[in-house]
Protein backbone atom coordinates (compact mmCIF):
# COMPACT_ATOMS: atom_id res chain seq x y z
CA UNK A 1 0.00 0.00 0.00
CA UNK A 2 1.55 3.28 -1.12
CA UNK A 3 0.36 5.30 1.86
CA UNK A 4 1.72 2.78 4.37
CA UNK A 5 5.07 2.76 2.58
CA UNK A 6 5.36 6.55 2.74
CA UNK A 7 4.47 6.55 6.44
CA UNK A 8 6.99 3.80 7.20
CA UNK A 9 9.79 5.57 5.30
CA UNK A 10 9.07 8.92 6.91
CA UNK A 11 8.86 7.46 10.42
CA UNK A 12 12.12 5.55 9.93
CA UNK A 13 13.92 8.66 8.69
CA UNK A 14 12.71 10.84 11.53
CA UNK A 15 13.59 8.24 14.14
CA UNK A 16 17.16 8.24 12.84
CA UNK A 17 17.78 11.97 12.40
CA UNK A 18 14.78 13.93 13.63
CA UNK A 19 15.72 14.48 17.28
CA UNK A 20 19.17 15.82 16.50
CA UNK A 21 18.25 18.15 13.65
CA UNK A 22 14.59 18.92 13.23
CA UNK A 23 13.36 19.08 16.82
CA UNK A 24 16.34 21.23 17.80
CA UNK A 25 15.54 23.66 15.01
CA UNK A 26 18.72 23.23 12.97
CA UNK A 27 16.73 21.79 10.03
CA UNK A 28 13.20 22.15 8.69
CA UNK A 29 10.77 19.29 8.36
CA UNK A 30 10.19 19.29 4.59
CA UNK A 31 7.03 17.63 3.28
CA UNK A 32 4.88 17.71 0.20
CA UNK A 33 1.24 18.54 0.73
CA UNK A 34 0.41 15.02 -0.40
CA UNK A 35 2.62 13.42 2.26
CA UNK A 36 1.19 15.61 5.00
CA UNK A 37 -2.34 14.64 3.96
CA UNK A 38 -1.44 10.94 4.04
CA UNK A 39 -0.17 11.33 7.60
CA UNK A 40 -3.08 13.42 8.86
CA UNK A 41 -5.61 11.02 7.30
CA UNK A 42 -3.84 8.05 8.92
CA UNK A 43 -3.82 9.77 12.31
CA UNK A 44 -7.51 10.49 11.99
CA UNK A 45 -8.25 6.85 11.22
CA UNK A 46 -6.16 5.59 14.14
CA UNK A 47 -7.70 7.99 16.64
CA UNK A 48 -11.21 7.29 15.43
CA UNK A 49 -10.89 3.49 15.66
CA UNK A 50 -8.76 3.08 18.79
CA UNK A 51 -8.93 6.28 20.83
CA UNK A 52 -7.82 4.64 24.09
CA UNK A 53 -5.24 2.06 22.99
CA UNK A 54 -3.01 3.69 20.44
CA UNK A 55 -0.80 0.60 19.99
CA UNK A 56 -3.67 -1.67 19.12
CA UNK A 57 -4.60 -2.26 15.52
CA UNK A 58 -8.04 -2.22 14.02
CA UNK A 59 -7.85 -5.83 12.90
CA UNK A 60 -5.19 -7.21 15.25
CA UNK A 61 -2.61 -7.93 12.56
CA UNK A 62 1.06 -7.36 13.23
CA UNK A 63 1.44 -5.13 10.19
CA UNK A 64 -1.44 -2.94 11.25
CA UNK A 65 -0.02 -2.71 14.76
CA UNK A 66 3.34 -1.58 13.37
CA UNK A 67 1.64 0.96 11.14
CA UNK A 68 -0.37 2.28 14.07
CA UNK A 69 2.79 2.74 16.12
CA UNK A 70 4.48 4.62 13.28
CA UNK A 71 1.47 6.86 12.80
CA UNK A 72 1.36 7.69 16.50
CA UNK A 73 5.10 8.38 16.45
CA UNK A 74 4.60 10.84 13.58
CA UNK A 75 1.73 12.51 15.39
CA UNK A 76 3.80 13.00 18.53
CA UNK A 77 6.79 14.15 16.47
CA UNK A 78 4.77 16.72 14.51
CA UNK A 79 3.47 18.19 17.76
CA UNK A 80 7.05 19.19 18.65
CA UNK A 81 8.36 20.40 15.27
CA UNK A 82 9.39 24.10 15.30
CA UNK A 83 9.97 24.61 11.54
CA UNK A 84 8.15 23.18 8.50
CA UNK A 85 8.48 23.50 4.74
CA UNK A 86 5.51 22.44 2.61
CA UNK A 87 5.55 22.19 -1.16
CA UNK A 88 2.83 21.47 -3.70
CA UNK A 89 -0.87 20.93 -3.17
CA UNK A 90 -2.12 17.33 -3.11
CA UNK A 91 -3.27 16.04 -6.46
CA UNK A 92 -6.95 16.07 -5.53
CA UNK A 93 -8.34 19.56 -6.09
CA UNK A 94 -10.72 19.31 -3.14
CA UNK A 95 -7.99 18.26 -0.70
CA UNK A 96 -6.80 20.52 2.09
CA UNK A 97 -3.47 20.88 3.83
CA UNK A 98 -3.99 20.60 7.59
CA UNK A 99 -1.52 22.34 9.92
CA UNK A 100 -3.37 21.58 13.13
CA UNK A 101 -0.81 18.93 14.16
CA UNK A 102 1.99 21.50 14.44
CA UNK A 103 1.43 22.90 17.91
CA UNK A 104 5.02 24.17 18.33
CA UNK A 105 5.46 25.74 14.91
CA UNK A 106 7.50 28.97 14.77
CA UNK A 107 8.69 28.89 11.15
CA UNK A 108 6.44 27.98 8.22
CA UNK A 109 7.32 27.97 4.54
CA UNK A 110 4.79 27.07 1.83
CA UNK A 111 5.22 26.92 -1.94
CA UNK A 112 2.55 26.23 -4.57
CA UNK A 113 -0.14 25.61 -1.96
CA UNK A 114 -3.10 27.99 -2.27
CA UNK A 115 -3.87 29.39 1.17
CA UNK A 116 -7.56 28.77 0.46
CA UNK A 117 -6.74 25.05 0.80
CA UNK A 118 -4.89 25.40 4.12
CA UNK A 119 -6.56 24.77 7.47
CA UNK A 120 -5.01 25.22 10.89
CA UNK A 121 -3.23 28.52 10.19
CA UNK A 122 -5.13 30.20 12.99
CA UNK A 123 -3.65 27.66 15.41
CA UNK A 124 -0.06 28.70 14.65
CA UNK A 125 -0.70 32.42 14.18
CA UNK A 126 0.11 33.46 17.73
CA UNK A 127 3.56 31.83 17.94
CA UNK A 128 4.70 31.97 14.29
CA UNK A 129 7.83 34.10 13.94
CA UNK A 130 8.78 33.49 10.32
CA UNK A 131 6.29 32.91 7.50
CA UNK A 132 6.95 32.38 3.80
CA UNK A 133 4.26 31.86 1.15
CA UNK A 134 5.30 31.69 -2.50
CA UNK A 135 2.88 30.98 -5.35
CA UNK A 136 0.15 30.71 -2.74
CA UNK A 137 -2.07 33.81 -2.90
CA UNK A 138 -3.20 36.98 -4.64
CA UNK A 139 -4.86 38.86 -1.78
CA UNK A 140 -2.87 39.10 1.46
CA UNK A 141 -6.14 39.25 3.39
CA UNK A 142 -6.65 35.57 2.60
CA UNK A 143 -3.53 34.83 4.61
CA UNK A 144 -3.25 37.45 7.33
CA UNK A 145 -6.92 38.14 8.03
CA UNK A 146 -8.80 34.96 7.11
CA UNK A 147 -5.99 32.47 7.87
CA UNK A 148 -6.74 30.51 4.71
CA UNK A 149 -9.59 28.03 4.93
CA UNK A 150 -10.04 28.76 8.66
CA UNK A 151 -11.82 31.97 7.64
CA UNK A 152 -11.20 33.63 11.00
CA UNK A 153 -11.61 37.21 12.11
CA UNK A 154 -8.96 39.91 12.53
CA UNK A 155 -6.54 38.57 15.14
CA UNK A 156 -2.92 39.59 15.58
CA UNK A 157 0.16 37.76 14.31
CA UNK A 158 1.89 39.06 17.41
CA UNK A 159 5.17 37.11 17.07
CA UNK A 160 5.68 37.46 13.32
CA UNK A 161 8.91 39.33 12.51
CA UNK A 162 9.84 37.90 9.08
CA UNK A 163 7.27 37.69 6.26
CA UNK A 164 8.10 36.51 2.73
CA UNK A 165 5.30 36.93 0.17
CA UNK A 166 7.50 36.94 -2.92
CA UNK A 167 6.50 35.24 -6.19
CA UNK A 168 2.77 35.72 -5.84
CA UNK A 169 0.27 37.73 -7.88
CA UNK A 170 -0.34 40.44 -5.28
CA UNK A 171 -1.58 43.64 -6.99
CA UNK A 172 -1.92 45.79 -3.87
CA UNK A 173 -1.37 45.89 -0.14
CA UNK A 174 -4.10 46.56 2.37
CA UNK A 175 -4.87 47.12 6.02
CA UNK A 176 -4.49 43.45 6.91
CA UNK A 177 -0.81 44.29 7.46
CA UNK A 178 -1.83 46.06 10.65
CA UNK A 179 -2.29 42.58 12.13
CA UNK A 180 1.49 42.13 11.86
CA UNK A 181 2.87 45.10 13.77
CA UNK A 182 6.08 43.31 14.77
CA UNK A 183 7.34 42.66 11.23
CA UNK A 184 10.97 43.64 10.74
CA UNK A 185 11.75 41.96 7.41
CA UNK A 186 9.25 41.93 4.52
CA UNK A 187 9.81 40.47 1.05
CA UNK A 188 7.23 41.48 -1.57
CA UNK A 189 9.42 41.00 -4.63
CA UNK A 190 8.14 39.44 -7.86
CA UNK A 191 4.53 40.54 -7.48
CA UNK A 192 2.24 42.94 -9.36
CA UNK A 193 2.35 45.95 -7.04
CA UNK A 194 1.69 49.28 -8.73
CA UNK A 195 1.37 51.56 -5.72
CA UNK A 196 0.86 51.50 -1.97
CA UNK A 197 -0.71 54.34 -0.04
CA UNK A 198 -1.52 52.80 3.31
CA UNK A 199 -0.37 49.19 3.75
CA UNK A 200 3.27 49.73 4.75
CA UNK A 201 2.35 52.55 7.11
CA UNK A 202 1.06 49.91 9.52
CA UNK A 203 4.58 48.49 10.07
CA UNK A 204 6.47 50.63 12.60
CA UNK A 205 9.38 48.21 13.12
CA UNK A 206 10.22 47.52 9.48
CA UNK A 207 14.00 47.23 8.99
CA UNK A 208 14.35 45.55 5.58
CA UNK A 209 11.95 45.70 2.64
CA UNK A 210 12.28 44.04 -0.77
CA UNK A 211 9.98 45.46 -3.48
CA UNK A 212 12.03 44.40 -6.50
CA UNK A 213 10.37 43.14 -9.69
CA UNK A 214 7.03 44.87 -9.30
CA UNK A 215 5.37 47.70 -11.23
CA UNK A 216 5.82 50.51 -8.74
CA UNK A 217 5.79 54.04 -10.11
CA UNK A 218 6.72 55.72 -6.83
CA UNK A 219 8.36 54.84 -3.54
CA UNK A 220 5.74 53.73 -1.00
CA UNK A 221 5.01 55.64 2.19
CA UNK A 222 6.32 54.23 5.43
CA UNK A 223 5.38 54.46 9.06
CA UNK A 224 7.11 57.43 10.68
CA UNK A 225 8.85 55.21 13.22
CA UNK A 226 9.94 52.82 10.45
CA UNK A 227 11.86 55.68 8.85
CA UNK A 228 14.25 55.42 11.78
CA UNK A 229 14.48 51.61 11.55
CA UNK A 230 14.53 50.97 7.81
CA UNK A 231 18.08 50.34 6.65
CA UNK A 232 17.55 48.35 3.46
CA UNK A 233 15.09 49.05 0.68
CA UNK A 234 15.33 47.05 -2.56
CA UNK A 235 13.52 48.67 -5.49
CA UNK A 236 15.22 47.41 -8.63
CA UNK A 237 13.18 46.39 -11.69
CA UNK A 238 10.18 48.67 -11.19
CA UNK A 239 8.72 51.61 -13.14
CA UNK A 240 10.05 54.37 -10.92
CA UNK A 241 10.46 57.82 -12.42
CA UNK A 242 10.70 60.01 -9.31
CA UNK A 243 12.28 59.16 -5.99
CA UNK A 244 10.17 60.79 -3.31
CA UNK A 245 9.27 60.09 0.27
CA UNK A 246 11.39 59.33 3.27
CA UNK A 247 15.03 58.42 2.87
CA UNK A 248 16.74 55.40 4.35
CA UNK A 249 20.37 54.91 5.25
CA UNK A 250 20.98 52.28 2.59
CA UNK A 251 19.08 51.68 -0.64
CA UNK A 252 19.86 48.55 -2.63
CA UNK A 253 19.11 49.20 -6.26
CA UNK A 254 21.88 48.05 -8.54
CA UNK A 255 21.88 44.92 -10.67
CA UNK A 256 25.19 44.00 -9.04
CA UNK A 257 23.47 44.07 -5.62
CA UNK A 258 25.96 46.67 -4.46
CA UNK A 259 24.89 48.82 -1.55
CA UNK A 260 24.66 52.38 -2.82
CA UNK A 261 24.79 55.43 -0.51
CA UNK A 262 21.61 57.47 -0.74
CA UNK A 263 23.48 60.61 -1.82
CA UNK A 264 24.89 58.87 -4.88
CA UNK A 265 21.61 57.69 -6.38
CA UNK A 266 21.18 58.81 -9.97
CA UNK A 267 19.55 55.84 -11.68
CA UNK A 268 17.97 52.50 -10.97
CA UNK A 269 18.75 49.37 -12.89
CA UNK A 270 15.83 48.58 -15.21
CA UNK A 271 13.89 51.50 -13.82
CA UNK A 272 13.44 54.68 -15.77
CA UNK A 273 15.89 57.54 -15.29
CA UNK A 274 14.72 59.67 -12.42
CA UNK A 275 15.58 62.86 -10.63
CA UNK A 276 15.58 63.43 -6.90
CA UNK A 277 13.21 66.19 -5.74
CA UNK A 278 14.58 69.68 -5.28
CA UNK A 279 16.32 70.21 -1.99
CA UNK A 280 17.31 66.55 -1.52
Amino acid sequence: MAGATVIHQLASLLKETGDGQILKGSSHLALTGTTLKLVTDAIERIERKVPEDRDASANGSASQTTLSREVVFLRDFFLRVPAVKLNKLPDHLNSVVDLSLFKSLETLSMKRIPVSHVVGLSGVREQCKKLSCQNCLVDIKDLLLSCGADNTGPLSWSSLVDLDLSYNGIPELNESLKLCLSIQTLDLSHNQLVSDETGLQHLPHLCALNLAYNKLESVPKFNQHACLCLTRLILRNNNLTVLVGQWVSTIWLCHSDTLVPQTDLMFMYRNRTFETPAGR
Side-chain angles (χ1 to χ4, degrees):
M1 184 178 179
T5 300
V6 171
I7 288 172
H8 172 71
Q9 292 175 344
L10 179 59
S12 299
L13 178 63
L14 294 180
K15 286 177 181 178
E16 292 177 4
T17 63
D19 284 345
Q21 298 181 25
I22 295 174
L23 294 184
K24 292 183 179 179
S26 59
S27 297
H28 290 68
L29 174 63
L31 302 169
T32 65
T34 303
T35 299
L36 178 57
K37 181 166 176 54
L38 284 173
V39 175
T40 53
D41 287 350
I43 291 172
E44 182 181 353
R45 288 193 298 270
I46 293 297
E47 292 181 341
R48 184 174 63 247
K49 292 181 179 180
V50 283
E52 295 183 355
D53 185 1
R54 66 183 189 181
D55 291 330
S57 63
N59 58 16
S61 69
S63 61
Q64 284 295 323
T65 300
T66 300
L67 179 61
S68 296
R69 289 173 176 168
E70 291 176 335
V71 170
V72 171
F73 165 79
L74 291 176
R75 182 195 64 185
D76 294 344
F77 189 93
F78 284 11
L79 289 173
R80 301 160 57 199
V81 170
V84 172
K85 288 184 178 180
L86 298 175
N87 187 31
K88 194 177 180 181
L89 180 73
D91 296 332
H92 305 294
L93 294 178
N94 294 326
S95 296
V96 297
V97 173
D98 190 352
L99 302 178
S100 60
L101 288 172
F102 301 107
K103 303 297 185 182
S104 304
L105 198 60
E106 295 183 351
T107 300
L108 173 62
S109 175
M110 298 190 296
K111 291 184 179 181
R112 295 187 294 165
I113 299 178
V115 294
S116 59
H117 291 257
V118 180
V119 298
L121 268 174
S122 59
V124 303
R125 172 168 49 187
E126 185 175 351
Q127 76 264 18
C128 187
K129 297 179 180 179
K130 186 174 182 179
L131 177 62
S132 175
C133 298
Q134 297 181 346
N135 294 301
C136 296
L137 70 154
V138 173
D139 190 339
I140 61 174
K141 287 183 179 179
D142 295 338
L143 174 68
L144 301 179
L145 178 63
S146 300
C147 281
D150 293 348
N151 198 26
T152 60
L155 297 175
S156 174
W157 294 74
S158 56
S159 301
L160 189 62
V161 295
D162 190 328
L163 178 60
D164 182 353
L165 298 178
S166 59
Y167 294 95
N168 287 291
I170 302 171
E172 61 181 1
L173 304 180
N174 52 55
E175 292 192 351
S176 62
L177 282 173
K178 68 183 179 182
L179 300 174
C180 311
L181 297 179
S182 299
I183 286 181
Q184 298 177 17
T185 301
L186 177 60
D187 190 343
L188 291 165
S189 62
H190 297 272
N191 278 288
Q192 301 295 318
L193 295 172
V194 176
S195 65
D196 174 54
E197 296 297 326
T198 59
L200 295 176
Q201 295 188 55
H202 295 298
L203 305 178
H205 304 292
L206 193 61
C207 298
L209 174 62
N210 188 351
L211 292 168
Y213 295 91
N214 278 282
K215 299 179 180 180
L216 292 171
E217 297 179 354
S218 62
V219 179
K221 297 179 181 180
F222 304 108
N223 181 281
Q224 185 174 0
H225 186 270
C227 296
L228 304 175
C229 303
L230 190 62
T231 57
R232 178 165 294 176
L233 174 61
I234 306 175
L235 289 167
R236 62 177 179 268
N237 290 77
N238 276 283
N239 297 324
L240 295 167
T241 56
V242 177
L243 186 62
V244 296
Q246 306 99 322
W247 289 79
V248 292
S249 61
T250 301
I251 300 182
W252 198 4
L253 299 170
C254 291
H255 177 55
S256 62
D257 290 349
T258 302
L259 294 176
V260 182
Q262 59 183 22
T263 54
D264 294 339
L265 293 178
M266 292 303 295
F267 71 93
M268 298 181 181
Y269 182 77
R270 288 188 180 174
N271 280 290
R272 302 171 185 175
T273 301
F274 73 93
E275 298 178 355
T276 55
R280 294 291 186 183

